Amino acid sequence: MSWMRNTLLKVFHYPVKWLVKPHSIPASVSDELGIDTSKPIIYLLPTDSVTDQLALRMAAKNLRLPTPNTSVELAGRHYPGVLFLRKTQPLFKKQAANTEVESVFTELVHLHRDHNEIDAQVVPVFISWGRAPGKGKPGLADLIADRTAPSWLRKLFIVILLGRDNFISFSRAVSAQQMAAHHGSDSHIAQKLMRVASTHFHRKRQSMTGPTLLERETLYNSVLGSASVRRAVADEAKDKKVSPEKARENARSYIDEIAADYREGLVRFGDRLLTRIWNKIYNGISVKHADRIRELARNGHEIIYVPCHRSHMDYLLLTYVIYHEGMVTPHIAAGINLNFWPVGKIFRRGGAFFLRRSFAGNKLYTAVFREYLELLFNRGYSVKYYPEGGRSRTGRLIPPKTGMLAMTMQALIKGVNRPVSIVPVYIGYENVMEVKSYLSELKGSGKKKESNLQVFSAIRKLKNYGHGFVNFGEPIHLSQFLEKTVPDWRSQLAADPDKKPGWLTPTVNTLANSVMVRINKAAAINGMAITSLCLLSSKTQRMSETELTSAVECYMTMLKEVPFSSDATLPDMSASDLVKSTLKLDKFTITDDGYGKLIGPQPNSAIYLTYYRNNIQHVFALPGLIFAQVFACNGVDRNRTLQLVAALYPLLQKELFIYLTQDQALAYADKLISFFVDQGLLVENETFVSPPPTQSPQFHNAWLLSRCMQETFQRYAVVLTVISKQKVLSRNELERVSRVVAERLSTLFGMSSPEFYDKNVLSSFITALRDNHWLDITADGSFKHSEESEALRQDVMALVWPEIVQHLEKVDFSTT
């Protein structure tokens, strides 16, 4: 390292320290990138910059990595701790010169061929100052702050203006020993490494800043000039008897209604504002499996985020997380109900584009929206939309709306110039701000229209919302999915390219289901959810703190020893600490009767806990089924339990979006039974499985599990009893009568679950009965009682509490 660089590093050390706040990506380089600090490390940066090197030094210190300012000794020779691909741009020239990195790489390859015992790691590091995408028409700001290989004068402005928005993105280490093992001359390998590094840094830049922004006129011309929109404009003019100019004007107004107007400055401001808000209302935000999206970006994929929808907070939280994981913030599909002043304008500048709840046969609007979406894909913008179509009012996943997925699939088969991947995302909260309004809506009150008053009211009520959770699920590579599902889709499309392919709808339905099960596969178990499940399973909805802690510890152990999935996550704390942190959320009453603390819901608030329990109920579906049968029968043969799992699992799978296949579910259930026996939660004599003795310390935990799915089985019993007594019913009538009976049961027996009689949940179960052939279908499409449905009813009735069975048997369905 030259004396000049040493001098500059010392001179600029304190100014950079004061001006720059580096954000390291990922936060844990050793876990995600496998960087071995016991081996020599040489950093590789795109540009020879003193300020970049100082920012890297600050980040390396925070991550406990070797400093880039010291040389690295290899086989008695000294090499710089940091290398650069190119020099900074000269003040009065356009082209930045290359550095001597090629000769250093050549020497490193030669050295490692001669010395097998050493292995230096070359770690590419991309350093970004701000995240602004390029523009079609550069302005003054671009002249001052060009960030590709800026001159020292431009870099001065960059550090002053964007020092607080400095991102240090580390990549996987390249083994010099593995480089040396490649065929070819030393110089050829060095040149190849430089080309790969240059491409890698280009993709890094694109993944963080996104493609060049569309100018408004370019957007208009691209959408209005497409063949599909031109046809729709002609049809609009003909059908509505207006001039072609008026029809085109209507199309242009639809573009204005729909299109985002992304402004990076607003995103930066939003980042700082949201950081303060999150620090105020959340105890932390847990992010898991973010390496998946970085891997997709590294491979040049178009990324489409498809999260579950729990709260309006989702829009902000997921975008914030994506930004801090070093990815460009996506364009977000938002309901037109959010397009009110000034929120709509703010969201639009943050990347939101708006869609109507229903396209209602409006062919021109449909064509414009579809073309806009395809334009985003083809231009390389990441996109985010919610497959459920709206926020879940029950805490369960809602059956997906397939419109956006269908348009995504249609864009793919028309030809997107990059590989497209869908990333399911599980979002969870320990406290959802809208939960009270959700439950009032389920009880029949109308949904309140979004307004400024609602926004200000929500801000005023901000409080401690515990932890937030964002888990990125297993991506779906769309081309691979299509090839697997419809291997001959290309030939079918070629036969009649203008006709909607017959395979499209069933394929999109399969895709939608895959998205939903992968969301639930990546569930985040949290303190609020598991505490709610325990309390609602208790007969009095109250437990001692000791009992509650014991149950939480038992179930956490179950999920660690017999994991629901490799993508699901558990809290990284003891059961005792988890219960204590959950009780601080002020959602429970805590009393002391002299023997210890008693925990229960706040007065008239047990119903609110159902929302959080429902977030994770799919995880406990099979354990709950196993214990329900064992306790109902006071012991049963293990094979009989597995037979019941085989019968009921397809219904549970459909309703709760569980990812396991039938065979996987049976294998998982068998493992669970063995685990329960080992833990003393069940007792097995040869193949006969029974509850533990009542005096056993594990009895209470087992008893709670036997009750955690009770309301689900009761709802099944209602529907199956209605069809058993009425014999033949239309679907609408079956849903109506079942809802009336379920609501009556809820009133009589104090159910704390409004989804017990929710029409969407009942409809989903009836669909599952039809799809699994438990019901016969008449010529007019009505549902008919069958021997199979009666056998299923008997199995379900055996799991239901006797008082419920008695009431169902006595109900006069002719009066409902």
Side-chain angles (χ1 to χ4, degrees):
M1 184 180 296
S2 68
W3 66 271
M4 176 65 77
R5 177 167 289 274
N6 274 325
T7 302
L8 290 173
L9 288 172
K10 290 177 181 178
V11 168
F12 288 106
H13 170 74
Y14 285 106
V16 169
K17 186 176 181 180
W18 293 329
L19 290 169
V20 176
K21 181 181 179 182
H23 304 270
S24 299
I25 303 168
S28 177
V29 295
S30 57
D31 291 343
E32 182 174 326
L33 303 178
I35 296 175
D36 188 350
T37 55
S38 66
K39 293 181 179 181
I41 292 176
I42 297 175
Y43 301 99
L44 176 64
L45 272 60
T47 308
D48 184 358
S49 164
V50 170
T51 50
D52 282 5
Q53 190 172 342
L54 287 170
L56 172 60
R57 182 168 70 180
M58 294 167 66
K61 182 179 179 181
N62 293 337
L63 296 171
R64 298 182 180 179
L65 292 173
T67 177
N69 296 354
T70 57
S71 60
V72 176
E73 183 178 353
L74 300 171
R77 302 180 188 180
H78 288 270
Y79 295 87
V82 59
L83 299 171
F84 310 94
L85 274 187
R86 66 182 70 86
K87 295 181 180 179
T88 54
Q89 182 180 339
L91 192 57
F92 301 107
K93 294 182 181 180
K94 292 185 177 180
Q95 190 65 36
N98 291 328
T99 63
E100 297 178 353
V101 66
E102 183 180 341
S103 62
V104 178
F105 279 159
T106 302
E107 190 175 336
L108 278 173
V109 172
H110 184 76
L111 181 74
H112 281 75
R113 282 180 168 171
D114 291 343
H115 298 274
N116 293 330
E117 72 280 4
I118 61 173
D119 185 13
Q121 300 172 98
V122 178
V123 178
V125 184
F126 180 76
I127 299 181
S128 172
W129 302 83
R131 306 277 287 275
K135 297 179 181 177
K137 297 178 181 179
L140 179 62
D142 299 281
L143 296 176
I144 294 173
D146 171 50
R147 302 177 192 111
T148 306
S151 67
W152 65 267
L153 181 59
R154 285 177 171 173
K155 197 57 172 281
L156 175 63
F157 281 103
I158 289 172
V159 173
I160 292 172
L161 296 173
L162 299 169
R164 312 305 286 179
D165 296 289
N166 173 251
F167 294 85
I168 316 291
S169 182
F170 294 84
S171 299
R172 291 188 181 278
V174 178
S175 165
Q177 193 60 248
Q178 291 181 5
M179 287 163 41
H182 290 173
H183 295 294
S185 65
D186 298 344
S187 60
H188 176 74
I189 294 173
Q191 291 168 2
K192 181 179 179 181
L193 181 60
M194 289 179 61
R195 289 195 303 271
V196 170
S198 181
T199 301
H200 173 77
F201 286 136
H202 173 74
R203 284 185 174 173
K204 273 285 185 182
R205 180 180 299 281
Q206 192 171 47
S207 70
M208 294 184 75
T209 65
T212 301
L213 289 180
L214 274 173
E215 294 296 325
R216 208 65 178 177
E217 281 305 316
T218 304
L219 170 62
Y220 290 139
N221 293 336
S222 297
V223 174
L224 297 176
S226 66
S228 61
V229 172
R230 288 202 309 270
R231 285 195 300 269
V233 166
D235 290 342
E236 176 93 346
K238 180 180 177 181
D239 295 342
K240 295 189 176 180
K241 296 180 173 55
V242 296
S243 67
E245 291 74 19
K246 176 61 177 175
R248 184 178 173 86
E249 185 181 325
N250 290 342
R252 189 180 175 105
S253 69
Y254 288 152
I255 297 174
D256 290 332
E257 177 187 319
I258 295 166
D261 186 21
Y262 182 84
R263 306 291 177 89
E264 190 266 345
L266 178 68
V267 173
R268 275 194 289 119
F269 172 77
D271 169 50
R272 293 176 184 177
L273 177 64
L274 287 175
T275 297
R276 293 192 175 190
I277 292 175
W278 297 156
N279 289 338
K280 177 183 177 182
I281 68 175
Y282 290 123
N283 297 330
I285 298 172
S286 173
V287 181
K288 299 295 182 183
H289 314 310
D291 55 303
R292 287 171 163 165
I293 58 174
R294 282 192 283 271
E295 179 71 21
L296 292 173
R298 187 160 51 245
N299 294 327
H301 282 236
E302 164 71 21
I303 301 176
I304 301 171
Y305 302 94
V306 281
C308 60
H309 203 2
R310 311 280 194 211
S311 165
H312 278 317
M313 205 62 95
D314 299 344
Y315 295 106
L316 303 175
L317 180 61
L318 181 54
T319 299
Y320 177 85
V321 165
I322 291 170
Y323 184 81
H324 277 264
E325 291 300 328
M327 304 293 293
V328 63
T329 54
H331 280 53
I332 308 161
I336 197 70
N337 56 305
L338 295 177
N339 189 23
F340 60 92
W341 188 91
V343 173
K345 195 163 188 175
I346 294 171
F347 280 3
R348 198 182 292 275
R349 293 191 172 193
F353 60 96
F354 295 95
L355 71 156
R356 299 177 180 181
R357 291 299 182 189
S358 171
F359 292 9
N362 189 331
K363 295 180 181 179
L364 181 58
Y365 179 87
T366 302
V368 168
F369 186 88
R370 182 176 295 158
E371 198 62 37
Y372 176 72
L373 190 64
E374 291 179 10
L375 181 65
L376 293 181
F377 295 155
N378 280 307
R379 290 277 182 160
Y381 296 100
S382 60
V383 173
K384 177 177 75 175
Y385 53 76
Y386 297 93
E388 295 166 286
R391 292 165 292 154
S392 170
R393 267 63 178 174
T394 64
R396 299 163 174 260
L397 291 187
I398 302 172
K401 309 291 191 298
T402 58
M404 291 293 290
L405 287 169
M407 283 186 272
T408 302
M409 184 69 77
Q410 287 171 318
L412 177 74
I413 62 180
K414 280 179 65 176
V416 177
N417 53 20
R418 299 202 307 162
V420 179
S421 286
I422 289 177
V423 180
V425 187
Y426 182 95
I427 302 177
Y429 305 92
E430 287 188 309
N431 196 348
V432 175
M433 66 172 64
E434 302 103 321
V435 70
K436 290 187 178 181
S437 65
Y438 289 166
L439 295 173
S440 65
E441 287 173 31
L442 286 170
K443 289 180 177 179
S445 68
K447 176 181 178 292
K448 292 182 180 179
K449 185 178 180 181
E450 285 75 8
S451 65
N452 289 315
L453 182 63
Q454 272 193 311
V455 173
F456 294 136
S457 176
I459 293 173
R460 184 176 58 83
K461 295 177 182 177
L462 287 179
K463 55 184 178 179
N464 183 357
Y465 287 95
H467 277 76
F469 302 88
V470 177
N471 289 352
F472 293 96
E474 183 184 358
I476 300 173
H477 303 302
L478 214 49
S479 294
Q480 295 178 12
F481 173 85
L482 191 54
E483 293 289 349
K484 183 178 179 180
T485 310
V486 192
D488 61 341
W489 69 271
R490 286 186 179 84
S491 60
Q492 291 190 42
L493 194 66
D496 191 353
D498 295 327
K499 183 181 178 182
K500 177 183 174 181
W503 50 262
L504 183 63
T505 298
T507 301
V508 169
N509 289 339
T510 302
L511 175 63
N513 187 69
S514 297
V515 166
M516 304 310 285
V517 299
R518 292 191 190 201
I519 289 174
N520 262 353
K521 184 181 179 184
I525 312 300
N526 63 67
M528 187 67 186
I530 200 166
T531 297
S532 298
L533 181 136
C534 292
L535 290 177
L536 292 173
S537 299
S538 174
K539 192 170 185 177
T540 61
Q541 297 178 344
R542 278 171 173 72
M543 297 172 65
S544 71
E545 186 177 27
T546 302
E547 288 175 331
L548 179 58
T549 303
S550 172
V552 170
E553 183 176 20
C554 176
Y555 305 154
M556 295 274 284
T557 301
M558 174 190 77
L559 294 172
K560 288 175 184 175
E561 297 296 323
V562 193
F564 171 74
S565 81
S566 57
D567 289 345
T569 57
L570 297 170
D572 188 20
M573 61 176 72
S574 67
S576 177
D577 289 342
L578 186 64
V579 170
K580 288 176 181 176
S581 68
T582 303
L583 296 181
K584 291 179 181 177
L585 294 175
D586 196 28
K587 289 289 184 180
F588 307 93
T589 59
I590 306 172
T591 57
D592 196 320
D593 64 352
Y595 292 95
K597 292 180 180 178
L598 298 176
I599 315 298
Q602 291 180 343
N604 303 315
S605 294
I607 194 169
Y608 300 135
L609 302 186
T610 63
Y611 188 93
Y612 305 104
R613 176 202 62 188
N614 290 349
N615 289 176
I616 63 167
Q617 192 161 38
H618 63 285
V619 177
F620 286 84
L622 288 178
L625 174 56
I626 291 167
F627 278 94
Q629 188 190 37
V630 171
F631 272 75
C633 301
N634 198 27
V636 66
D637 188 83
R638 180 190 283 236
N639 290 331
R640 174 66 186 126
T641 298
L642 295 177
Q643 288 172 7
L644 185 64
V645 169
L648 289 186
Y649 177 70
L651 305 176
L652 294 169
Q653 181 186 35
K654 178 80 174 181
E655 178 179 334
L656 300 175
F657 295 104
I658 307 176
Y659 77 97
L660 299 166
T661 65
Q662 179 91 335
D663 289 342
Q664 289 171 338
L666 288 170
Y668 182 60
D670 198 44
K671 287 182 182 178
L672 283 171
I673 294 172
S674 297
F675 168 79
F676 294 142
V677 171
D678 290 341
Q679 295 292 309
L681 290 156
L682 293 175
V683 177
E684 186 170 32
N685 184 8
E686 294 184 352
T687 62
F688 191 80
V689 181
S690 57
T694 53
Q695 65 272 24
S696 165
Q698 291 291 2
F699 178 83
H700 188 257
N701 296 337
W703 180 72
L704 288 178
L705 280 177
S706 75
R707 297 169 59 89
C708 73
M709 292 293 293
Q710 182 60 214
E711 288 167 4
T712 298
F713 300 141
Q714 291 171 7
R715 187 171 57 253
Y716 288 5
V718 167
V719 176
L720 290 167
T721 300
V722 169
I723 196 69
S724 175
K725 295 294 181 68
Q726 298 291 82
K727 302 305 180 185
V728 178
L729 280 172
S730 69
R731 181 184 183 114
N732 288 340
E733 191 65 7
L734 178 57
E735 288 183 7
R736 186 193 67 79
V737 175
S738 297
R739 189 161 190 255
V740 170
V741 174
E743 191 167 2
R744 187 163 190 258
L745 281 180
S746 178
T747 302
L748 286 172
F749 295 98
M751 311 292 185
S752 296
S753 301
E755 83 273 4
F756 184 70
Y757 51 86
D758 179 60
K759 61 181 180 181
N760 291 323
V761 177
L762 288 166
S763 177
S764 178
F765 174 61
I766 291 169
T767 298
L769 287 174
R770 180 200 65 195
D771 292 347
N772 288 279
H773 309 292
W774 287 109
L775 296 173
D776 290 338
I777 310 296
T778 64
D780 65 355
S782 296
F783 292 134
K784 183 180 179 182
H785 175 257
S786 67
E787 292 182 6
E788 290 79 7
S789 64
E790 183 60 30
L792 180 65
R793 188 177 84 93
Q794 295 300 325
D795 284 339
V796 170
M797 286 295 214
L799 305 177
V800 173
W801 295 336
E803 60 269 34
I804 302 292
V805 174
Q806 282 294 306
H807 184 79
L808 286 176
E809 294 293 352
K810 293 177 181 177
V811 170
D812 182 2
F813 291 97
S814 63
T815 62
T816 55

